[in-house]
Amino acid sequence: MARVYNFSAGPAVLPEEVLQQAAAEMLDYQGCGMSVMEMSHRSKEFKGIIETAEADLRELMGIPENYRVLFLQGGASQQFAAIPLNLMTTGVADYVVSGSWSKKAWKEAKRFGDARCIASSEDGNFSYVPDVDALEISDDASYVYICQNETIYGTRYPKLPDTKGKPLVADVSSCFLSEPVEVERYGLIYGGVQKNVGPAGVVIVIVRDDLVPEEDLPTVPTMLQYKTQVDNGSLYNTPPCYGIYICGLVFKWLKAQGGLKAMKLRNEEKAALLYDFLDQSKLFKATARAEDRSIMNVPFITGDADLDAQFVAEAKEAGIVNIKGHRSVGGMRASIYNAMPKAGVEALVAFMDKFEKAHA
């Protein structure tokens, strides 16, 4: 059976070259006689895998020496708690709520301190990003938190907020490694890898040294302390070894593609193909405000729920799968991550054009 065009928001499409290499190494990783799934996380083979993965990620992102890179479990959602537990040293933190994921993070942080929502776009069903030039940041805030790309609503920050000297914390799950990033502008960056980097089961945290507590936090679970993970090189317990291995292969693939500058150009080209069609269509409509549109996640609707359902069903028959939108937006959503080829977006646009002409 031919591979389909998989527009899933996550777990999502992976580069075919990566899948082929993983398949070739499934039974015997580089002559060791074992699969990566079988080897000890304390073995020299896995030590090479995780150290190479970190080195390649540092090269791709230009991560400074004073930042730690952690490969952890628990997904991005566990970081909703870990971040305030480690970083909310004043008992106060400011959150910008631009969608479901930042709202969940804010609600979780309220369990551990005075987490303040300083701006929200919920009044427009999160179809836009709040104005970051007008943020009233609390003098006593330990950090300012954003979700840089909201998967469900298809929005991203066109620019980063001025945090007035407070550390910026960003969930980048949906836009991870899709374009160059100035790591120095953040105190902490994190993301679940299952959207744009690897398989489900790994979350990567990049945290500045001065934000890692120097002493043990007696009221914080050992596994949720950044100090624990830093001191043990992400190996305090058995990490998600195979997921880290796949992430490492993706990092190699990204380097071979020309790095993050090249990926940004490719991603912008794919997004422009889809948005240009949506903007001239009489049937389909993009739901996010134009200036805040994501280049990774593109929600769109017809305005007729039955017609949307018909589109999703017929698209599947045409080899275009996982195109159904989230229930809070409805309609459709095309996630066009790094590994989605331009041909996939072209196939989607051609199918949309055909569907529109049939239902004009």
Side-chain angles (χ1 to χ4, degrees), residues 292-320:
D292 298 332
R293 287 172 174 174
S294 168
I295 62 170
M296 292 283 97
N297 312 102
V298 184
F300 57 96
I301 58 174
T302 66
D304 182 323
D306 291 336
L307 199 57
D308 289 344
Q310 184 179 346
F311 177 87
V312 170
E314 292 185 11
K316 184 176 181 180
E317 293 177 2
I320 297 169

Side-chain angles (χ1 to χ4, degrees), residues 1-40:
M1 180 180 176
R3 281 177 60 78
V4 296
Y5 289 121
N6 177 15
F7 289 92
S8 172
V13 61
L14 286 167
E16 287 193 19
E17 297 95 324
V18 167
L19 296 175
Q20 289 165 354
Q21 182 175 348
E25 295 178 337
M26 176 58 74
L27 295 179
D28 181 5
Y29 174 73
Q30 298 188 359
C32 75
M34 294 179 291
S35 170
V36 177
M37 287 187 185
E38 303 171 299
M39 65 178 56
S40 168

Side-chain angles (χ1 to χ4, degrees), residues 86-204:
N86 285 270
L87 271 57
M88 201 190 290
T89 54
T90 63
V92 177
D94 287 347
Y95 281 69
V96 181
V97 177
S98 59
S100 292
W101 297 114
S102 48
K103 184 176 180 179
K104 286 182 178 180
W106 167 56
K107 284 189 171 182
E108 186 72 5
K110 290 171 71 174
R111 296 172 178 266
F112 310 109
D114 184 9
R116 301 170 179 171
C117 174
I118 58 171
S120 173
S121 55
E122 191 166 10
D123 62 341
N125 195 31
F126 299 125
S127 60
Y128 68 97
V129 170
D131 180 6
V132 296
D133 292 327
L135 296 178
E136 295 185 9
I137 295 171
S138 307
D139 291 337
D140 52 352
S142 298
Y143 59 87
V144 177
Y145 181 103
I146 64 171
C147 178
Q148 197 157 332
N149 187 103
E150 287 281 359
T151 322
I152 292 173
Y153 299 93
T155 60
R156 69 163 177 171
Y157 282 72
K159 63 178 179 178
L160 296 178
D162 176 5
T163 59
K164 298 179 174 60
K166 307 295 184 183
L168 177 63
V169 175
D171 176 354
V172 298
S173 297
S174 296
C175 57
F176 215 170
L177 302 182
S178 63
E179 58 186 347
V181 57
E182 297 179 71
V183 177
E184 299 91 340
R185 297 192 64 183
Y186 304 81
L188 184 148
I189 307 172
Y190 76 98
V193 306
Q194 72 277 8
K195 298 178 182 297
N196 208 31
V197 184
V202 184
V203 59
I204 296 174

